[in-house]
Amino acid sequence: MKCDILTKSLPETVKIQGIYYPINWDFRAGIQLDALLRSKTAEEEKYLKMLQIYYPSIPPDLVQAIEAILWFYRCGEEQDKEEEEKQRYKRRRAKEPAWAFSQDAPYIYSAFREQYGIDLTQPDKLHWWKFMALFESLGEDTKMSRIMYYRQASTSGMPKSQRAFVNEMKKLYRIEENAVKQSLAQRDKGWRDYVKKRHMQGA
């Protein structure tokens, strides 16, 4: 996460065709989106639901509306062509995803409660960018951080006993098979492909 959340206001709207549209900035929208994109829902339906999750009133320019969601979900990070090339390289060497928000909900709740004293079940809103800053800063002593480590740990070079333990943890905490295993970079590519397709259809 590279956005500057200390000196800039956190966005609650996005600008599309010169008009500012309210966007659902609560962290629950991001978690809903994560679950949606991991589901086996048909691609066209996914993008429609994505728009419904984030916009109280869906902007008429669907291409820019989806681009705005993509930008917001990445917490304001832009992705230029050079970065896209890096992501392609990373995808070829991609590890197992570290988390699935819906599946990991109990562990995330406990970690936020333990480390920050935040009860995520309360109705209070928490901005998605704040949520991600806190999530990415979870300490190594939280169970959620250990689970993420197990999922992505390479057992190469580990002593036999340690390797057996880590492999057992990988099995215990593996992301459910009915979830589509995608990295954020892979989701970005899927969104971008859809945007390009919509743009070509509208041209």
Side-chain angles (χ1 to χ4, degrees):
M1 185 174 186
K2 299 177 182 179
C3 61
D4 182 356
I5 65 173
L6 297 180
T7 62
K8 297 180 180 178
S9 299
L10 296 179
E12 297 182 6
T13 61
V14 290
K15 189 176 182 180
I16 300 172
Q17 295 280 337
I19 300 173
Y20 286 93
Y21 291 87
I23 193 166
N24 187 354
W25 49 265
D26 186 46
F27 79 99
R28 296 171 183 84
I31 291 176
Q32 285 181 287
L33 179 57
D34 179 74
L36 174 64
L37 295 175
R38 292 174 185 275
S39 73
K40 295 182 179 179
T41 305
E43 290 303 302
E44 292 287 330
E45 188 178 350
K46 279 185 182 179
Y47 296 113
L48 174 59
K49 288 184 177 180
M50 180 193 304
L51 292 164
Q52 292 172 337
I53 288 171
Y54 275 93
Y55 294 108
S57 178
I58 298 175
D61 189 328
L62 299 185
V63 173
Q64 286 197 19
I66 291 173
E67 282 280 14
I69 293 174
L70 190 159
W71 170 84
F72 185 84
Y73 189 84
R74 288 199 310 266
C75 299
E77 286 189 40
E78 299 294 345
Q79 196 168 32
D80 56 24
K81 289 185 178 180
E82 182 179 349
E83 181 63 22
E84 287 184 15
E85 289 298 323
K86 291 179 182 178
Q87 295 294 356
R88 288 193 190 99
Y89 175 73
K90 289 179 182 178
R91 283 195 293 273
R92 289 197 293 269
R93 302 182 58 181
K95 298 179 180 179
E96 288 294 301
W99 69 79
F101 284 124
S102 293
Q103 181 178 329
D104 294 330
Y107 309 119
I108 295 171
Y109 168 81
S110 297
F112 271 64
R113 187 74 169 175
E114 173 188 343
Q115 183 164 323
Y116 305 119
I118 296 175
D119 186 344
L120 293 175
T121 65
Q122 293 302 303
D124 300 340
K125 284 190 171 185
L126 176 63
H127 197 284
W128 172 248
W129 293 18
K130 286 184 181 179
F131 171 83
M132 286 304 296
L134 295 170
F135 178 73
E136 292 178 2
S137 299
L138 288 175
E140 294 179 359
D141 56 339
T142 62
K143 187 170 184 177
M144 186 64 219
S145 288
R146 294 196 297 273
I147 289 172
M148 290 191 287
Y149 164 75
Y150 295 139
R151 285 172 177 162
Q152 294 199 313
S154 170
T155 57
S156 176
M158 284 185 180
K160 186 176 180 180
S161 60
Q162 184 181 4
R163 183 168 63 249
F165 173 76
V166 172
N167 283 333
E168 188 63 28
M169 293 300 100
K170 284 180 179 290
K171 291 179 183 178
L172 180 62
Y173 295 114
R174 68 181 180 275
I175 291 177
E176 295 172 0
E177 293 182 0
N178 64 346
V180 178
K181 297 180 179 180
Q182 288 185 313
S183 67
L184 179 56
Q186 288 171 320
R187 293 175 211 167
D188 267 8
K189 183 179 185 302
W191 294 346
R192 288 180 179 278
D193 288 347
Y194 178 77
V195 168
K196 289 176 183 177
K197 178 181 175 182
R198 290 299 301 253
H199 181 72
M200 291 176 65
Q201 289 176 344

